[in-house]
Amino acid sequence: EVQLVESGGGLVQTGGSLRLSCAASGFTFDVYTMCWFRQAPGKEREGVSCISSSFGNTNYIESVKGRFTISSDNAKNMVFLQMNSLKPEDTAVYYCAAGLQPTPYYDGIDYWGKGTLVTVSS
């Protein structure tokens, strides 16, 4: 079956760094756009960053530009999110996701991971 398994979340201090990993299986990884979404308690889920080898682009929401970097290793079916200069407002559950659009919105996501919690202390 399709699986997206996130890892790398945890508790860090303001200004610290984390690297999230997502291991994918059960679908044609190279065809899909891979994204990271996040959701804080009581807030809507928002797209953070996507990477697409088929469309040849990456993108980020404005609030993380210059701090986060998305990358992938297609040979290993993995996608990563390097997060630097973390802020308390980055605190959320981060989800790995796969869709067929260049920059899928929520309803355009076909597969979701279960999420990994990132907590940034003040």
Side-chain angles (χ1 to χ4, degrees):
E1 75 278 9
V2 171
Q3 284 193 306
L4 296 174
V5 181
E6 303 97 334
S7 61
L11 174 64
V12 298
Q13 297 177 348
T14 297
S17 297
L18 284 174
R19 184 177 177 85
L20 305 183
S21 299
C22 173
S25 61
F27 65 99
T28 50
F29 184 86
D30 295 351
V31 173
Y32 278 77
T33 297
M34 302 300 300
C35 300
W36 290 95
F37 282 69
R38 66 185 181 186
Q39 187 169 26
K43 298 183 179 180
E44 64 185 9
R45 191 171 298 187
E46 65 174 350
V48 178
S49 180
C50 294
I51 184 168
S52 173
S53 59
S54 59
F55 291 99
N57 61 15
T58 60
N59 45 55
Y60 303 86
I61 55 171
E62 192 67 27
S63 62
V64 308
K65 287 182 178 178
R67 299 189 298 119
F68 291 9
T69 303
I70 191 169
S71 62
S72 64
D73 185 339
N74 287 3
K76 297 180 179 179
N77 286 5
M78 296 191 71
V79 62
F80 309 94
L81 187 67
Q82 178 67 45
M83 305 184 295
N84 299 326
S85 301
L86 284 162
K87 306 174 181 179
E89 50 263 46
D90 296 317
T91 295
V93 176
Y94 284 71
Y95 298 90
C96 183
L100 290 173
Q101 298 298 316
T103 54
Y105 60 100
Y106 185 90
D107 288 341
I109 296 298
D110 294 316
Y111 308 119
W112 291 97
K114 294 182 179 180
T116 184
L117 178 63
V118 171
T119 303
V120 185
S121 63
S122 301

